[in-house]
Amino acid sequence: MRIQLIGTIALVRKETGRVLRIWVQTLIPPGITMSLYFIIFGTLIGKRIGEMEGFPYMEYIAPGLVMMSVITNSYGNVVGSFFNAKIQGHIEELLVSPLSEVSIVIGYLAGGIIRGLAVATVVTFIALFFTQINIKHPLMTLFVIIMTAGVFSLAGLINAIFAKKFDDIAVIPSFVLAPLTYLGGVFYTVSLLPEFWQTLSRFNPILYMINSMRYSVIGISDVSIQNALMMIVVFFILLFSSAVILLKKGIGIRQ
Amino acid sequence: MQNAFGMHALSIKDLSKKYKSGVEALKSVSFDVKEGDFFALLGPNGAGKTTAIGIITSLVNKSSGSIEVFGHDLDKELAKAKSCIGVVPQEVNLNLFDYNFNILVNQAGFYGIPRSEGKKRAEQYLKQMQLWEKRKTNARSLSGGMKRRLMVARALVNRPKLLLLDEPTAGVDIETRRMMWDFLRDLNANGTTIILTTHYLEEAEQLCNKVAIIDEGKIIENDSMHNVLKKLKTEVFILNTEKPLDKAPEIDGYTTALKSPQEIEITVSQEQGVNDAFSTLQTSGVKVLSMRNKNSRLEELFLDLTKGQPGEGE
């Protein structure tokens, strides 16, 4: 047990250290991207849109933009880190050690969550230059950020476990994650959509995450907040278990 | 597992591995390595050496069979077995972007060694491997030989009772190889059991007291180095002569050939010895300045046992 604790701390330290050591790659790009979103969608286009659900457009989209950065960055962090370890071969440092699969998953998960939290802080700070943010439910906000970062870190880990070439880690973010995020209600309320598209949107898990964030920050949501939070927790448990099982079976890492 | 002859560091029983491609890398392989042995696992490329090491270190899933490391069954007590093992793989598998010092400290951590102790060990082994000056650079800036030494240091950071070395001196210069040999001899003398795979058979002959030869997934020889070398029926020597010769001198009972004007190749069977050959040469007025083995003795035997097959890659 002591070995697992020390080993997990060592891996958490290594993975979080990586995020902070290469901060120019991990923290600056999302800051620049989100600044552009705030300028274009908030300041330039947002003024013409006016209010959304009773809130200035900029204030309405800010929580969604924070969540969008969290999703992209936590996923990218873990998929990149684990896949690089596979390609360079130093994943074997972990595989030959007595570290358990649960400890390995926790280590990579921590790296993704730390990156998600760091990016959320950077983007929130940038948002303050464009709009006021009065967080209604601070603890829930923190919970939603951590759990969503966790869900996408685990998804990134599973992607990296299966990936055999660099294309395999680029496909999911480009062709799955990005469309689901943009269609997950970052820039609009789903009530604006025709009924068919509203129903379809409800099958998009990212809709629940973005609305959880919006609810915890400004107090409104397109979906039931209980259902949304429960969905995040269920996804987290499912993906965590899947990642542990895949590592135990040695899929993608043991011949 | 304890037996009458002491603890087995490694006990392999009926180990088989069939890859998805259909290749049978190991066919019911069994052998034991006693605690304190310096054990050579030899074989041509593709014989199954790296697969065996991969299974012992749990990087490769076995098809069947069992493995115990210091009495810990890999199927039942994997973590305990892994804690006893250090491994230097054939391919460089370092995090090329991390600092060399951090690589060792992190590896110690993965074995449950607290960070403060991990730092002390990292310093100790980086100094022993003459890499302390490189502690603040990252692994990609190291030469090939330095990377190998860093991998050895990394494998030692958990102070393993069983050290697995898969071609540890491949591609390193002579000076580094000799330094590694001295280091490994000391390590073995201090109680670490070592299993070595190498293509430098001179290396195995110099270092190891036990040897197993694996070919096409089967163990074809497994004995002490002394007994294995005794099986060598003939040895080939090169004699350097003082003066150039036109043709190879004829010596009764020996096969000779002229390799160059001042080099005679002579094949000597184990029963014959070399005295008669030298007497004949002296009578013929041929003065021999020096003599050396054409190949290492183990190499001769290896080529004989494996029929000189070059192999097809691991």
Side-chain angles (χ1 to χ4, degrees), chain A residues 26-37:
Chain A
T26 54
L27 303 180
I28 300 295
I32 292 171
T33 310
M34 287 305 137
S35 299
L36 292 171
Y37 273 115

Side-chain angles (χ1 to χ4, degrees), chain B residues 207-228:
Chain B
L207 295 173
C208 301
N209 64 328
K210 297 279 176 60
V211 58
I213 298 177
I214 187 168
D215 191 24
E216 295 179 351
K218 289 179 182 164
I219 297 282
I220 56 170
E221 185 61 72
N222 183 11
D223 209 334
S224 70
M225 185 65 78
H226 180 72
N227 287 342
V228 166

Side-chain angles (χ1 to χ4, degrees), chain B residues 144-303:
Chain B
M146 287 176 178
K147 283 179 186 148
R148 292 250 160 232
R149 280 186 273 150
L150 184 62
M151 292 202 294
V152 173
R154 185 184 60 184
L156 292 171
V157 84
N158 61 312
R159 298 203 174 133
K161 288 156 77 179
L162 174 63
L163 180 63
L164 305 169
L165 303 163
D166 196 357
E167 306 278 353
T169 58
V172 305
D173 60 35
I174 294 166
E175 195 183 348
T176 306
R177 186 174 303 156
R178 297 281 166 174
M179 184 274 274
M180 295 260 264
W181 286 7
D182 289 341
F183 179 78
L184 294 173
R185 272 195 200 101
D186 284 350
L187 200 66
N188 181 244
N190 287 320
T192 306
T193 308
I194 301 177
I195 298 177
L196 170 80
T197 81
T198 179
H199 277 106
Y200 301 109
L201 299 186
E202 186 202 349
E203 184 167 86
E205 195 176 332
Q206 290 273 336
L207 295 173
C208 301
N209 64 328
K210 297 279 176 60
V211 58
I213 298 177
I214 187 168
D215 191 24
E216 295 179 351
K218 289 179 182 164
I219 297 282
I220 56 170
E221 185 61 72
N222 183 11
D223 209 334
S224 70
M225 185 65 78
H226 180 72
N227 287 342
V228 166
L229 291 176
K230 274 205 306 198
K231 292 174 189 170
L232 189 62
K233 292 186 184 77
T234 58
E235 282 187 73
V236 180
F237 295 99
I238 303 290
L239 309 179
N240 292 305
T241 60
E242 187 188 37
K243 290 178 184 162
L245 303 171
D246 296 332
K247 58 174 189 168
E250 285 181 13
I251 309 172
D252 264 356
Y254 296 87
T255 309
T256 57
L258 201 62
K259 299 305 288 178
S260 72
Q262 284 179 277
E263 280 186 327
I264 305 167
E265 186 179 293
I266 179 164
T267 307
V268 181
S269 70
Q270 212 170 43
E271 304 82 43
Q272 278 178 307
V274 290
N275 285 358
D276 291 347
F278 276 112
S279 301
T280 310
L281 286 170
Q282 200 166 15
T283 312
S284 317
V286 178
K287 188 175 178 185
V288 176
L289 295 177
S290 63
M291 178 175 99
R292 63 184 162 83
N293 274 91
K294 186 185 179 192
N295 298 314
S296 82
R297 291 178 302 162
L298 188 58
E299 196 167 318
E300 295 280 353
L301 185 72
F302 179 85
L303 290 170

Side-chain angles (χ1 to χ4, degrees), chain A residues 7 88 92-93 95 254-255, chain B residues 58 61 82 93 96 154:
Chain A
Q88 286 187 42
E92 290 178 6
E93 292 176 350
L95 301 180
R254 290 191 173 99
Q255 290 174 296
Chain B
S58 77
N61 291 328
K82 282 175 163 184
N93 69 346
L96 300 176
R154 185 184 60 184

Side-chain angles (χ1 to χ4, degrees), chain A residues 138-160:
Chain A
L139 281 179
M140 190 190 286
T141 305
L142 195 62
F143 175 80
V144 170
I145 291 174
I146 289 173
M147 289 300 285
T148 306
V151 165
F152 285 94
S153 298
L154 292 165
L157 180 60
I158 291 170
N159 185 176

Side-chain angles (χ1 to χ4, degrees), chain A residues 110-189:
Chain A
I113 289 176
I114 291 293
R115 170 124 169 226
L117 278 170
V119 166
T121 308
V122 169
V123 175
T124 305
F125 183 73
I126 289 167
L128 288 172
F129 286 97
F130 298 91
T131 183
Q132 57 172 23
I133 297 178
N134 298 311
I135 299 173
K136 286 231 165 163
H137 309 287
L139 281 179
M140 190 190 286
T141 305
L142 195 62
F143 175 80
V144 170
I145 291 174
I146 289 173
M147 289 300 285
T148 306
V151 165
F152 285 94
S153 298
L154 292 165
L157 180 60
I158 291 170
N159 185 176
I161 286 171
F162 282 108
K164 288 182 180 150
K165 49 190 191 301
F166 281 99
D167 285 353
D168 298 338
I169 62 166
V171 165
I172 303 285
S174 305
F175 296 104
V176 180
L177 222 50
L180 287 181
T181 310
Y182 283 102
L183 298 171
V186 175
F187 299 103
Y188 55 85
T189 162

Side-chain angles (χ1 to χ4, degrees), chain A residues 69-79 112-113 115-116 148-149 152-153:
Chain A
S69 335
V70 169
I71 290 170
T72 316
N73 284 277
S74 54
Y75 190 95
N77 193 74
V78 179
V79 79
I113 289 176
R115 170 124 169 226
T148 306
F152 285 94
S153 298

